[in-house]
Amino acid sequence: MFKKLSKSTSSSKSSLSSQGQGGDEASEDGSMKGMMKTGQQTEEQVFWVEYLTDGQKEALSKLRTALTTKSVLMENTHLGTDTTLLRFLKARGWDVAKAETMYTNMVAWRRTFKTDEVFEEFEYPEKDEVLKIYPQFYCGVDKFGRPVYVEKTGLVNASALEK
């Protein structure tokens, strides 16, 4: 079985061995094939961005340099963080050229459809009323760059939602 995450789990890479049974082993690329059955993951699998090999670190550096050189990298946004670039690299099997193409296509798509302008241009006059009966918000990102969404479900006015 895998070690479950706990505060006492060592962060040492050597102590995080994958000794799975019945197809629950993590693959070499850190994916969680077979892990969905048990829901258990090692610390290394959950926090894979903190356990990069030298080759993966080099690929990250090459990707960042290539995107910066082409003026494509969205540096001052969540899309320019190491975590985001690592996701593109992992999605393309750590192939820098393929990750670069994928990222460049994503940026082109965002520019074509003006996705980054939505918050400035979108008009939502009912927003204040909706927030009164269904309080929710985004409060930044976690240490991996993922958005953190909060719903105050205990404060939802269910009868007002039905109207």
Side-chain angles (χ1 to χ4, degrees):
M1 264 314 166
F2 291 98
K3 279 184 167 179
K4 288 186 181 178
L5 288 177
S6 69
K7 290 184 180 181
S8 63
T9 302
S10 170
S11 62
S12 167
K13 190 170 185 175
S14 61
S15 68
L16 297 169
S17 62
S18 298
Q19 300 173 1
Q21 297 175 356
D24 285 345
E25 298 86 11
S27 65
E28 287 294 314
D29 66 355
S31 65
M32 298 179 293
K33 296 173 186 163
M35 296 302 295
M36 297 304 183
K37 295 176 191 172
T38 63
Q40 297 176 337
Q41 300 173 26
T42 63
E43 182 176 346
E44 185 176 29
Q45 290 164 328
V46 173
F47 301 107
W48 64 271
V49 296
E50 295 181 6
Y51 293 94
L52 299 176
T53 65
D54 289 339
Q56 291 169 337
K57 289 176 186 176
E58 184 180 339
L60 174 61
S61 178
K62 286 180 180 179
L63 179 59
R64 179 172 291 284
T65 301
L67 294 172
T68 303
T69 301
K70 290 183 174 183
S71 299
V72 177
L73 184 63
M74 301 176 76
E75 290 186 81
N76 297 322
T77 70
H78 69 283
L79 298 170
T81 64
D82 283 352
T83 306
T84 298
L85 297 180
L86 287 168
R87 288 182 186 151
F88 279 86
L89 283 164
K90 188 173 182 182
R92 293 297 170 244
W94 302 96
D95 184 311
V96 176
K98 288 180 181 178
E100 180 183 347
T101 300
M102 184 181 185
Y103 188 94
T104 303
N105 290 341
M106 178 268 307
V107 170
W109 181 88
R110 293 179 74 86
R111 288 182 180 152
T112 300
F113 293 98
K114 300 179 181 178
T115 59
D116 298 317
E117 297 172 17
V118 168
F119 288 113
E120 289 125 30
E121 295 177 2
F122 184 71
E123 293 184 25
Y124 184 26
E126 306 88 2
K127 182 178 180 182
D128 291 335
E129 291 178 45
V130 171
L131 289 177
K132 285 179 187 173
I133 59 174
Y134 194 85
Q136 41 81 24
F137 56 92
Y138 287 95
C139 64
V141 295
D142 66 8
K143 71 180 186 175
F144 300 107
R146 299 175 296 209
V148 177
Y149 175 71
V150 177
E151 285 187 359
K152 295 183 174 183
T153 52
L155 301 176
V156 171
N157 183 345
S159 60
L161 279 175
E162 293 176 357
K163 295 179 183 179

